[in-house]
């Protein structure tokens, strides 16, 4: 469901090490681990590639992401449900990450399905099918993660 991880050592060897002095890679990683439970592979790639080649851009990207993703007028659950729906409308695989984040923030399965239903109204069966697949896989992952 998620893309393969990059080979960090090869990136470092060819492009250099993460060089953003404003924030350690461990601290950047922790933000995503708290939101979705892990560092998504594409974000890991951006951290290591952009963090080595243009650390100022990485810092700016993360500042803008934080500002946009956590508006004061929405709680995290609401923002993540909206992002899940927006990305599902595009059939983006990033919808999975925001679905996971919505669940971690307290969204119920009924709320998740309601977002899929809204997407169906304007995107059709493609969104309904993809949404159901995402929810089913998330359900299985949550079941497997139970102690």
């Amino acid at each position: 469901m998620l893309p393969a991880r990059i080979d960090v050592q090869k990136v470092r060897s060819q492009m250099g090490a993460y060089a953003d002095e404003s924030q350690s890679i461990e601290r950047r990683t922790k933000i995503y681990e708290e939101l979705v439970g892990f560092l998504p592979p594409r974000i890991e790639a951006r951290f290591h590639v952009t963090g080595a080649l243009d650390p100022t851009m990485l810092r700016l990207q993360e500042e803008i992401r934080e500002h946009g993703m956590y508006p004061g007028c929405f709680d995290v659950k609401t923002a993540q449900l909206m992002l899940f729906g927006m990305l599902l409308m595009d059939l983006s695989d990033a919808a999975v990450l925001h679905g996971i984040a919505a669940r971690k923030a307290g969204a119920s399965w009924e709320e998740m399905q309601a977002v899929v239903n809204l997407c169906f109204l304007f995107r059709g069966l493609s969104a309904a099918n993809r949404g159901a697949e995402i929810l089913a896989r998330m359900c299985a992952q949550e079941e497997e993660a139970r102690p």
Side-chain angles (χ1 to χ4, degrees):
M1 196 143 71
L2 295 173
R5 295 215 167 273
I6 62 163
D7 185 327
V8 173
Q9 295 301 349
K10 289 181 181 174
V11 171
R12 284 184 185 148
S13 164
Q14 294 289 316
M15 298 178 187
Y18 176 89
D20 183 359
E21 295 177 6
S22 71
Q23 195 168 99
S24 71
I25 196 159
E26 292 79 19
R27 180 144 182 214
R28 289 213 187 281
T29 297
K30 185 178 180 194
I31 293 165
Y32 288 89
E33 288 172 345
E34 290 171 355
L35 185 65
V36 295
F38 59 94
L39 180 63
R42 289 183 182 147
I43 295 167
E44 179 182 41
R46 181 169 55 87
F47 281 4
H48 286 282
V49 171
T50 308
L53 299 175
D54 192 347
T56 300
M57 178 56 81
L58 177 63
R59 179 184 54 77
L60 292 169
Q61 289 169 345
E62 286 299 294
E63 286 175 6
I64 291 169
R65 179 203 60 81
E66 183 177 348
H67 179 78
M69 193 172 290
Y70 300 105
C73 57
F74 297 128
D75 61 15
V76 173
K77 180 180 89 169
T78 301
Q80 291 302 319
L81 282 167
M82 290 192 317
L83 289 166
F84 170 63
M86 290 175 201
L87 292 161
L88 183 57
M89 287 292 290
D90 283 340
L91 304 177
S92 169
D93 60 353
V96 172
L97 299 174
H98 293 281
I100 292 168
R103 288 283 294 162
K104 282 184 63 78
S108 69
W109 290 117
E110 292 78 14
E111 290 170 316
M112 300 293 290
Q113 181 62 49
V115 172
V116 172
N117 294 348
L118 289 167
C119 292
F120 165 75
L121 290 174
F122 296 94
R123 186 65 161 98
L125 284 174
S126 296
N129 292 341
R130 179 75 173 121
E133 176 190 32
I134 290 170
L135 296 185
R137 291 182 190 273
M138 286 173 51
C139 179
Q141 288 174 340
E142 286 183 19
E143 186 72 22
E144 291 169 7
R146 284 190 190 158

